[in-house]
């Protein structure tokens, strides 16, 4: 038998490789689709490139490369019929989450030789040549040889007997292991509190990675820790997992900072988590094209919700789904590095691609869905060379009007944007008296160590948010070119064009007194239909006089004043040695940002406080010199570029620095193409070079009057919204609701159901599409 098998493989031995250190083996998902070993056709792993392919795509790879030997991985899943938590067949199809004890499975692996599909079962691996044995030992086949595996059974915990560590009987700092229900104490702290570390010991013994801190369980959630990842993680199904051990989150008591407990039965308000996820309702599951969920990889729901909304838009479907055959046929040999085809792969590989090189999105921490939306649109822009750019549907122009309060003269500029951010003015709440009464009761309860009153959520009209967006705002440190001096200035913003799809973010997140980001508890009566035509920009009006197009004079401080000819050269404030607010720098650094980046953020925002500096960090964290030391400009430098402004916006009528243009033209690129590249990348040379390579010169024949926008009437209808649950964008959970075929659908990770009560008032990001003019 071994001789026969060896003879079969001998012709292909030169094409079979052994994985070396650093090689990635794609044994979990297809490089082109969502296929996995659990799919009907299983997964085929190329024994030369180690790329995985579903049954539909492996033939194409064979024809393109001539590689004949693949390892076929197949997982057969069966539902446990005697489990008291057994699910229905539809649940099995919907959830596709087989890591609990409701399922048992059998794994199968074999070698397949194309084109004849000759199969070699791998249980006979000992009879294969030594090289194939080595392949298995190096990790290509990672499934265990056992035929069945089942989660460890547990005994439900009694809520009334009190918890204690199963080893040392401690009753504080207790952790419940979510795999087997064991209760152990946490680690010891330097102040003498804590425990004896038995929860960590249990993980080392069992490899059961997740545990929940018992005294943090409330109707709003619980603290879950992953010993494997060594950090806090999100468990979107924590309620179901705890109920398995006899714990009802809605009945749990919450411990306050002073050690007292509050009775949650006295808090009838339904939590944000329950409202947004429509908990307690019998939601009907839906299936088919456009109704496929995205599995949560652990704190990846921010990505899943954004992608669900984007791929409900025809332009993205046309670019990445309607174009699939061409993408498949012309994909590179390693499609995992090709952005164009990544729409069809499973989230793990997709996340690795779109987050590569990004300090936050490449981590396993929860992120802000709005920031990911901006990041993804930037990737689409950079990878739409010579083809349709689906992100055009979001692009619009904002007209900014700045007026000198003393001379009344004005300046108009335009900038590109993809989303409007609406303030949430608490002072405009319709239930303000109720909010004031609650705050008084809360303070009284805190002073007298009593249970806090039931929280009150601020209700703010959407019209108030729009009004706050359009109101004039002060321009800090405004220099009037008419007065040739600093003066008071105000800025107003209007739409110079309306996009085909309008994205609206509600600014729910702010900073507390300790500068820790927090979320405002509020509800916005967001309308289904929106008319913004009254906010269209009008440009320079009759009777308005423009500010002179002059730059501030260069001045020197008194101790270095000199002359050039007969002209004094004076240094402006931003060229003097900076007095950086080190307290603000430390506050930012404590959030995990590099120290030098924090110093630059505080410097370039003029010591205006940690909040402005935080905005600068978010706008510049992808730049290659983000964490490099602050380099002050020389006296003759033109000063900070517009990309160093707090919001990182680039006025469309400003020409990039001449020295940057010269660098690109010296490389042989046309001047006009270099200028456009710099403008498109906020004058970042490295990104501009990348932009040039992804935007061929033949585009020079295109209209260069400005950015491409799909202007039209400002009348819109709501078709989707993303909601966030939790106290911070860096924690909690995201879900989205999308209106399809006249009905609202909720996408909660891998679960897709018809929505009964879409919580439109609790959304975070709203998506509108333009109404037809007919």
């Amino acid at each position: 038998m071994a001789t026969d098998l060896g003879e079969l493989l001998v012709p292909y031995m030169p094409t079979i490789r052994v994985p070396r250190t650093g090689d990635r083996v794609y044994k979990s998902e297809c490089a082109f689709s969502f296929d996995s070993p659990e799919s009907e056709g299983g997964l085929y792993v190329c024994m030369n490139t180690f790329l995985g392919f579903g049954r539909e795509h492996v033939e194409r790879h064979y024809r393109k490369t001539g590689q004949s030997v693949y390892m076929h991985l197949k997982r057969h899943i069966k539902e446990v019929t005697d489990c008291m938590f057994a699910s229905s067949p539809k649940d099995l199809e919907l959830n596709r989450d087989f890591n609990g004890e409701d399922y048992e499975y059998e794994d199968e692996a074999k070698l397949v030789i194309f084109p004849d599909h000759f199969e070699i079962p791998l249980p006979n691996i000992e009879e294969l040549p030594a090289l194939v044995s080595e392949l298995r030992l190096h990790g290509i086949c990672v499934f265990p040889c056992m035929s069945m595996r089942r989660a460890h059974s547990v005994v439900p915990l009694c809520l009334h007997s009190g918890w204690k560590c199963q080893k040392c009987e401690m009753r504080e700092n207790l952790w419940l292991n979510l795999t087997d229900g064991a209760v152990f104490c946490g680690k010891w702290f330097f102040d003498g509190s804590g425990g004896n570390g038995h929860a960590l010991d249990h993980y080392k013994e069992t490899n059961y990675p997740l545990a929940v801190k018992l005294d943090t369980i409330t109707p709003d959630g619980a603290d879950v820790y992953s010993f494997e990842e060594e950090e806090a993680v999100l468990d979107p199904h924590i309620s179901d997992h705890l109920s398995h051990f006899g714990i009802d989150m809605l009945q749990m008591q919450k411990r306050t900072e002073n050690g007292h407990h509050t009775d949650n039965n006295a808090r009838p308000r339904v939590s944000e988590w329950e409202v947004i996820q429509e908990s307690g309702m019998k939601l009907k599951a839906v299936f088919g094209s456009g109704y496929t969920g995205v599995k949560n990889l652990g704190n990846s729901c921010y990505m899943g919700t954004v992608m669900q909304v984007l791929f409900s838009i025809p332009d993205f479907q046309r670019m990445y789904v309607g174009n699939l055959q061409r993408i498949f046929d012309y994909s590179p040999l390693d499609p995992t590095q090709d952005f164009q085809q990544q729409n069809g792969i499973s989230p793990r590989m997709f996340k690795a691609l779109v987050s590569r090189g990004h300090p936050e999105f490449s981590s396993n921490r929860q992120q802000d869905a709005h920031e990911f939306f901006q990041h993804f649109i930037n990737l689409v822009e950079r990878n739409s060379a010579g083809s349709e750019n689906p992100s055009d549907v979001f692009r619009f122009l904002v007209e900014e009007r700045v007026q000198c309060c003393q001379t009344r003269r004005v300046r108009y500029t335009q900038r590109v944007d993809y989303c409007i951010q609406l303030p949430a003015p608490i002072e405009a709440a319709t239930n303000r008296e109720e909010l004031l009464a609650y705050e008084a009761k809360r303070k009284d309860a805190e002073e007298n160590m009593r249970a806090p009153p039931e929280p009150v959520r601020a209700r703010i009209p959407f019209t108030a948010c729009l009004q706050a967006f359009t109101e004039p705002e002060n321009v800090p440190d405004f220099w009037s070119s008419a007065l040739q001096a600093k003066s008071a200035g105000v800025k107003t913003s209007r739409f110079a064009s309306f996009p085909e799809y309008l994205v609206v973010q509600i600014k729910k997140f702010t900073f507390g007194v300790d500068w820790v980001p927090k979320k405002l508890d509020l509800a916005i009566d967001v309308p289904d239909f929106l008319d913004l035509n009254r906010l269209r920009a009008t440009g320079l009006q009759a009777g308005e006089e423009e500010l002179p197009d002059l730059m501030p004079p260069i001045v020197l401080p008194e101790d270095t004043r000199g002359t050039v000819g007969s002209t004094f050269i004076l240094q402006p404030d931003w060229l003097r040695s900076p007095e950086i607010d080190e307290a603000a720098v430390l506050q930012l650094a404590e959030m995990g940002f590099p120290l030098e980046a924090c110093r630059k953020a505080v410097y370039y925002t003029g010591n205006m406080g940690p909040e402005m500096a935080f905005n600068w960090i978010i706008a510049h964290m992808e730049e290659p010199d983000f964490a490099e030391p602050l380099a002050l400009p020389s006296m003759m430098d033109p000063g900070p570029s517009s990309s160093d402004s707090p919001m990182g916006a680039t006025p469309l009528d400003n020409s990039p620095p001449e020295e940057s243009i010269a660098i690109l033209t010296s490389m042989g690129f046309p001047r006009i193409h270099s200028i456009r590249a710099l403008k498109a990348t906020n004058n970042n040379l490295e990104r501009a070079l990348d932009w040039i390579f992804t935007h061929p010169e033949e585009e020079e024949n295109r209209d260069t009057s400005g950015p491409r926008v799909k202007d039209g009437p400002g009348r819109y209808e709501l078709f989707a919204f993303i909601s966030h649950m939790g106290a911070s964008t860096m924690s909690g959970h995201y879900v989205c609701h999308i209106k399809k075929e006249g009905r609202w659908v909720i996408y909660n990770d891998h679960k897709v159901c018809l929505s009964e009560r879409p919580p439109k008032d609790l959304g975070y990001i709203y998506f509108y599409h333009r109404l037809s003019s007919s």
Side-chain angles (χ1 to χ4, degrees), residues 109-277:
K110 55 191 174 186
L111 290 181
V112 178
I113 302 177
F114 281 74
D116 298 326
H117 292 268
F118 189 88
E119 298 181 353
I120 304 174
L122 284 186
N124 299 320
I125 189 74
E126 296 81 4
E127 302 180 39
L128 296 178
L131 178 58
V132 179
S133 297
E134 186 177 5
L135 285 173
R136 184 186 184 199
L137 292 174
H138 277 76
I140 294 287
C141 183
V142 296
F143 293 138
C145 294
M146 56 184 172
S147 60
M148 296 287 182
R149 186 173 75 181
R150 185 169 178 176
H152 184 62
S153 59
V154 297
V155 178
L157 297 174
C158 177
L159 287 178
H160 305 288
S161 61
W163 288 305
K164 60 184 178 181
C165 176
Q166 294 176 204
K167 284 191 177 180
C168 65
E169 300 195 355
M170 274 199 70
R171 296 182 180 272
E172 300 293 331
N173 191 23
L174 297 179
W175 293 79
L176 168 72
N177 192 288
L178 288 175
T179 302
D180 61 2
V183 176
F184 291 105
C185 60
K187 64 181 180 180
W188 177 85
F189 299 117
F190 68 93
D191 61 356
S193 63
N196 299 310
H198 290 140
L200 178 59
D201 293 340
H202 183 65
Y203 161 68
K204 292 178 180 178
E205 295 170 2
T206 63
N207 273 340
Y208 298 156
L210 298 180
V212 58
K213 198 168 190 295
L214 288 174
D215 62 1
T216 66
I217 302 173
T218 72
D220 293 324
D223 292 347
V224 180
Y225 185 81
S226 169
F227 292 105
E228 183 177 19
E229 299 174 66
E230 297 184 349
E231 65 178 354
V233 296
L234 168 73
D235 182 356
H237 310 293
I238 185 64
S239 179
D240 294 337
H241 296 160
L242 289 175
S243 67
H244 174 60
F245 300 112
I247 300 176
D248 184 352
M249 290 179 62
L250 297 180
Q251 303 300 320
M252 289 298 294
Q253 294 178 336
K254 181 179 179 181
R255 177 169 295 182
T256 62
E257 292 182 0
N258 57 25
H260 291 74
H261 290 81
T262 63
D263 184 3
N264 285 315
N265 292 327
R267 299 175 59 199
R269 189 184 76 155
V270 181
S271 73
E272 178 186 58
W273 287 73
E274 294 174 283
V275 174
I276 290 178
Q277 295 187 102

Side-chain angles (χ1 to χ4, degrees), residues 652-664:
L652 297 180
D653 54 356
N654 281 5
S655 181
E658 193 61 40
E659 61 269 25
S660 298
I661 299 174
I663 291 174
L664 293 178

Side-chain angles (χ1 to χ4, degrees), residues 220 269 271-273 276 368 424 426 456-458 505-512 516-523 722-735 761-765:
D220 293 324
R269 189 184 76 155
S271 73
E272 178 186 58
W273 287 73
I276 290 178
D368 186 350
I426 296 295
V456 176
R457 179 173 294 133
Q505 178 206 17
I506 303 296
K507 297 172 71 173
K508 287 188 171 185
F509 295 92
T510 183
F511 288 90
V516 174
K518 68 174 185 178
K519 188 171 77 172
L520 301 174
D521 188 10
L522 47 84
I722 295 174
S723 306
H724 173 268
M725 296 156 281
S728 166
T729 54
M730 301 307 172
S731 62
H733 183 51
Y734 287 96
V735 302
D761 59 334
L762 298 181
Y764 174 46
I765 309 174

Side-chain angles (χ1 to χ4, degrees), residues 190-441:
F190 68 93
D191 61 356
S193 63
N196 299 310
H198 290 140
L200 178 59
D201 293 340
H202 183 65
Y203 161 68
K204 292 178 180 178
E205 295 170 2
T206 63
N207 273 340
Y208 298 156
L210 298 180
V212 58
K213 198 168 190 295
L214 288 174
D215 62 1
T216 66
I217 302 173
T218 72
D220 293 324
D223 292 347
V224 180
Y225 185 81
S226 169
F227 292 105
E228 183 177 19
E229 299 174 66
E230 297 184 349
E231 65 178 354
V233 296
L234 168 73
D235 182 356
H237 310 293
I238 185 64
S239 179
D240 294 337
H241 296 160
L242 289 175
S243 67
H244 174 60
F245 300 112
I247 300 176
D248 184 352
M249 290 179 62
L250 297 180
Q251 303 300 320
M252 289 298 294
Q253 294 178 336
K254 181 179 179 181
R255 177 169 295 182
T256 62
E257 292 182 0
N258 57 25
H260 291 74
H261 290 81
T262 63
D263 184 3
N264 285 315
N265 292 327
R267 299 175 59 199
R269 189 184 76 155
V270 181
S271 73
E272 178 186 58
W273 287 73
E274 294 174 283
V275 174
I276 290 178
Q277 295 187 102
E278 304 188 54
S279 301
M281 299 182 184
K282 295 181 179 179
L283 301 181
K284 180 182 178 181
V286 287
F287 311 92
S289 177
Y291 300 101
T292 300
V294 176
K295 185 176 180 181
N296 194 328
L297 305 177
N299 291 333
S300 67
C301 52
Y302 67 90
M303 178 188 72
T305 52
V306 170
M307 300 313 298
Q308 289 284 15
V309 174
L310 290 183
F311 278 87
S312 68
I313 295 175
D315 298 73
F316 281 85
Q317 295 174 356
R318 193 162 51 245
M319 178 66 179
Y320 298 111
V321 181
N323 217 9
L324 276 183
Q325 193 57 49
R326 185 191 67 82
I327 291 174
F328 291 154
D329 290 341
Y330 293 96
S331 65
L333 291 181
D334 184 358
T336 66
Q337 304 302 310
D338 179 25
F339 183 86
Q340 291 292 317
Q341 64 82 38
Q342 294 298 328
N343 63 288
I345 65 172
S346 62
R348 184 174 287 103
M349 201 181 298
F350 175 81
K351 183 176 185 295
L353 175 77
V354 299
S355 64
R356 187 172 58 232
H358 193 285
E360 289 300 322
F361 298 135
S362 58
S363 72
N364 290 325
R365 295 184 294 272
Q366 186 66 281
Q367 303 298 333
D368 186 350
H370 174 249
E371 292 174 14
F372 179 76
F373 167 78
Q374 293 177 310
H375 170 72
F376 185 77
I377 291 301
N378 183 46
L379 284 179
V380 172
E381 292 274 5
R382 295 168 61 182
N383 289 276
S384 297
S387 60
E388 177 186 4
N389 184 351
S391 66
D392 286 350
V393 299
F394 297 118
R395 191 185 301 110
F396 62 96
L397 298 178
V398 177
E399 177 190 87
E400 292 186 340
R401 175 185 183 271
V402 178
Q403 183 174 39
C404 171
C405 295
Q406 192 166 343
T407 66
R408 313 304 296 176
R409 299 175 76 172
V410 297
R411 175 180 294 116
Y412 286 86
T413 58
Q414 290 186 345
R415 61 176 173 84
V416 174
D417 217 330
Y418 296 84
C419 172
I420 63 169
Q421 296 176 291
L422 296 186
I426 296 295
E427 64 275 8
T430 57
N431 59 339
R432 191 174 181 185
E433 291 184 2
E434 189 180 2
L435 289 170
L436 292 173
Y438 161 72
E439 186 61 22
K441 291 179 182 178

